[in-house]
Amino acid sequence: MTDILNRRNFLTKGALGGAAAVAGASLAAPAIAQELPTLKWRLTSGFPNNLDTIYGGAVVMAEALSKITEGKFQIQVFQAGELVPGPQAIDAVQSNTVEIAHTCGYYFTGKNPTFAIGSTIPFGLNARQQNAWLYHGGGNELYDEFLSEYGIVGKPGGGTGAQMGGWFRNEIKSLDDLKGIKMRIAGVAGEVMSRLGVVPQQLPGGDIYPALERGTIDAAEWVGPYDDERLGFYQIAPYYYYPAYWEGGLTIHFFINKAQYEALPEAYKVALDTACKAANINMQALYDVKNTTAIRSLVGKGVNLRPMPRDVMDAAYKATFELYAEYSEKHPAWAKIYPSWKKFRDESFEWFRVAEYSYDSYMYAAQAAGK
């Protein structure tokens, strides 16, 4: 009985939060007590393990899953490149080389731009709106329907919040200053930037600093202050811009081989879903703490913090929605998801302007005024 109570306590307290409490109700003692198989899966991450927060989301999930199932369902986490290169993570899941991957959907827009809409797209949802759409606005159901064409199931597994707009060797004062700049930027955002005159380069996180150092690229975006400081970009590119209009609320996903997932006992499906929710909530909270400290550290080191010029933002906004219209004509999967995504976005913005925006705007202004 003590073991059962401890297990219930784990599911209703700590990192798993309220979301786990709901899902955990399905993990009552009789289900766990059944003779369930011992499973060992392998996970390939899209990130190196020195980026402890974003890579660590997979570790948080695997540890929670093991504890929930009393060690019977274990997942071993491998960093990018250890089993397969990061850009091949989806292929590895498709081929069942690994059962699961932890990475960003927008890395795979070369296959289909619809991969990006489940993670983040330019001028999209913030972190809370993203979770609302995926969990309760029909988003993940639509995304899974698309992913099923690739034999994959997706589970939200980490958030970064609004990201930074990147590091530049030279100051960007207007749209004209972007012309010809070689910038590390991925996915749909790279396509938008190309329409503004930028030459986009898609590089893994570990390759960005050497490319900046050699002058292969002139600018780079990654995540935010904590990761960016660890990667040392400020040592080469002193101008740090905000915000990343292309990543208002990134969701990293666990991409799971669909056949493997469907073969799981129901108790393990619920346990896996609960563990993924734990990772999703935990990563966002960690970034919010770590970025707060890191941005102060970077400014203290002489980094030039700059807002993205308004004409850049306006030109990007126009180019973005022109691009989405083109995607709707060329890609049936995009056309199936985008209208409901856009409707959710617009209606969500109406609500957030009423309470969240008005509260935040007043509080930030009052604090800055010394009240």
Side-chain angles (χ1 to χ4, degrees):
M1 177 62 72
T2 300
D3 288 342
I4 294 172
L5 290 174
N6 287 341
R7 180 164 57 252
R8 287 175 178 166
N9 285 342
F10 178 79
L11 289 170
T12 55
K13 295 180 180 179
L16 301 186
V22 176
S26 299
L27 291 174
I32 293 291
Q34 291 173 4
E35 286 299 319
L36 293 170
T38 297
L39 296 180
K40 291 186 177 181
W41 281 10
R42 298 194 303 172
L43 180 152
T44 185
S45 174
F47 316 103
N49 61 12
N50 65 316
L51 295 175
D52 56 339
T53 306
I54 198 164
Y55 167 85
V59 177
V60 168
M61 184 277 289
E63 290 179 350
L65 179 64
S66 178
K67 290 178 181 178
I68 292 169
T69 62
E70 299 179 341
K72 300 191 77 173
F73 189 178
Q74 297 186 16
I75 294 179
Q76 186 175 3
V77 178
F78 295 88
Q79 67 175 321
E82 202 169 357
L83 295 179
V84 297
Q88 296 176 20
I90 290 289
D91 301 297
V93 174
Q94 279 186 272
S95 64
N96 204 31
T97 301
V98 297
E99 292 86 358
I100 184 169
H102 184 235
T103 189
C104 302
Y106 63 60
Y107 288 161
F108 306 97
T109 54
K111 295 177 181 292
N112 191 312
T114 313
F115 271 102
I117 203 168
S119 55
T120 187
I121 55 177
F123 298 104
L125 306 169
N126 68 23
R128 280 188 42 199
Q129 292 160 354
Q130 182 78 358
N131 275 340
W133 181 62
L134 288 169
Y135 285 133
H136 298 294
N140 219 68
E141 290 82 357
L142 288 167
Y143 198 42
D144 270 347
E145 187 177 344
F146 160 69
L147 293 175
S148 68
E149 299 174 19
Y150 297 85
I152 294 170
V153 171
K155 301 283 182 186
T160 65
Q163 296 192 11
M164 292 293 283
W167 299 85
F168 292 76
R169 290 178 180 275
N170 300 306
E171 190 172 4
I172 305 300
K173 296 180 180 179
S174 71
L175 184 60
D176 288 340
D177 293 329
L178 289 177
K179 308 297 184 186
I181 284 180
K182 299 187 294 289
M183 182 179 182
R184 185 276 174 194
I185 185 167
V188 177
E191 175 61 27
V192 173
M193 280 300 230
S194 73
R195 297 181 178 208
L196 306 187
V198 172
V199 181
Q201 311 284 321
Q202 184 158 316
L203 299 172
D207 293 344
I208 299 173
Y209 184 90
L212 276 172
E213 190 174 39
R214 291 192 303 267
T216 307
I217 57 176
D218 307 302
E221 62 83 33
W222 178 243
V223 174
Y226 178 72
D227 283 352
D228 293 1
E229 184 176 32
R230 289 173 70 89
L231 291 171
F233 302 148
Y234 66 93
Q235 300 173 49
I236 301 170
Y239 293 96
Y240 198 22
Y241 282 84
Y242 62 88
Y245 66 76
W246 50 90
E247 294 187 81
L250 169 65
T251 297
I252 299 99
H253 271 77
F254 291 104
F255 294 103
I256 310 162
N257 181 280
K258 186 177 181 181
Q260 293 280 0
Y261 178 76
E262 290 179 345
L264 289 175
E266 188 61 26
Y268 282 3
K269 288 180 181 177
V270 174
L272 180 58
D273 184 65
T274 299
C276 290
K277 286 186 171 75
N280 193 34
I281 295 167
N282 188 67
M283 186 187 294
Q284 180 69 76
L286 275 177
Y287 269 124
D288 285 342
V289 170
K290 293 179 175 182
N291 284 335
T292 299
T293 301
I295 193 66
R296 295 175 65 90
S297 173
L298 286 168
V299 171
K301 291 174 179 176
V303 165
N304 298 294
L305 202 58
R306 297 283 189 273
M308 197 71 79
R310 182 58 184 254
D311 65 339
V312 171
M313 297 291 285
D314 289 344
Y317 194 93
K318 181 175 183 293
T320 291
F321 288 94
E322 289 173 351
L323 180 62
Y324 294 165
E326 293 173 20
Y327 284 167
S328 293
E329 292 178 0
K330 296 178 182 177
H331 301 282
W334 175 278
K336 189 168 186 178
I337 299 176
Y338 178 74
S340 61
W341 175 90
K342 182 65 162 53
K343 181 175 184 289
F344 185 93
R345 169 192 178 270
D346 294 349
E347 292 178 353
S348 183
F349 282 9
E350 290 173 0
W351 156 235
F352 271 66
R353 273 199 301 269
V354 172
E356 299 291 338
Y357 177 76
S358 57
Y359 175 80
D360 290 346
S361 296
Y362 176 80
M363 292 298 290
Y364 300 153
Q367 187 272 340
K371 294 182 180 180

